[in-house]
Amino acid sequence: MGAWIGLVGVVAGTLVAFIGQYIVRNSDSRERREAHLLEQLAILLALSEDYRNRVWEERNKVATGVVAAWDLSAYRHAEAQLRILSRDSNVLSALMSLKKTGAELGRSWRLAPEDESRTEAAWKAHRTAVDQFIAASSQVFGGKRSWLAGVRS
């Protein structure tokens, strides 16, 4: 009888160890996925802000050719990864809005820089899209809107 109790104890201990490993492995995997998602969100935000800064520099004649030198391939790479990683419809919608308004800002600035009203409208629409992207991204992680809200122009 004692051998059976020992055998049941060994089997139960092994089962607990396997369940523990499974839980830890899933937790680690989820943490890595969330970290990668956060990284892609941050990269897209940084690249979008860099793009706005470059347009501002050219509009204010601080620099020339910086919009053309912007790293579009890095933006596309981060966008593709985000589209694969994120299941949140608000983030994906905000991403599409950011892409659309960014393209319009580039089009208005590069093709018709003399049309100040079109460029200004595109500038404001892109700012709104960036803010919406920040809000949607922060909701994925249960956060509130960024401390930068209301500080931007």
Side-chain angles (χ1 to χ4, degrees), residues 69-95:
W70 182 66
D71 193 356
L72 179 59
S73 65
Y75 182 91
R76 286 180 175 164
H77 184 78
E79 177 190 8
Q81 288 191 33
L82 181 59
R83 289 173 54 201
I84 292 167
L85 288 170
S86 181
R87 297 178 189 117
D88 187 279
S89 61
N90 291 332
V91 169
L92 296 174
S93 175
L95 176 62

Side-chain angles (χ1 to χ4, degrees), residues 2 8 13 24 26 28-29 34 37 44 46 53 63 66 68 70 75 77 98 109 124 145 147-148 152:
V8 169
V24 168
N26 280 349
D28 288 346
S29 176
E34 287 176 357
L37 176 61
L44 279 169
N53 186 55
V66 292
W70 182 66
Y75 182 91
H77 184 78
L98 187 62
W109 175 244
K124 288 179 180 177
R145 207 167 156 187
W147 63 271
L148 290 172
R152 305 174 189 252

Side-chain angles (χ1 to χ4, degrees), residues 32-51:
R32 280 192 305 275
R33 184 182 171 283
E34 287 176 357
H36 191 62
L37 176 61
L38 178 59
E39 180 181 353
Q40 297 315 305
L41 292 166
I43 288 170
L44 279 169
L45 179 58
L47 286 167
S48 295
E49 293 289 4
D50 180 53
Y51 184 67

Side-chain angles (χ1 to χ4, degrees), residues 10 16 45 63 65 71 80 118:
V10 167
V16 167
L45 179 58
D71 193 356
R118 178 181 174 191

Side-chain angles (χ1 to χ4, degrees), residues 54 58 63-70:
R54 289 167 183 259
E58 285 190 11
T64 57
V66 292
V67 171
W70 182 66

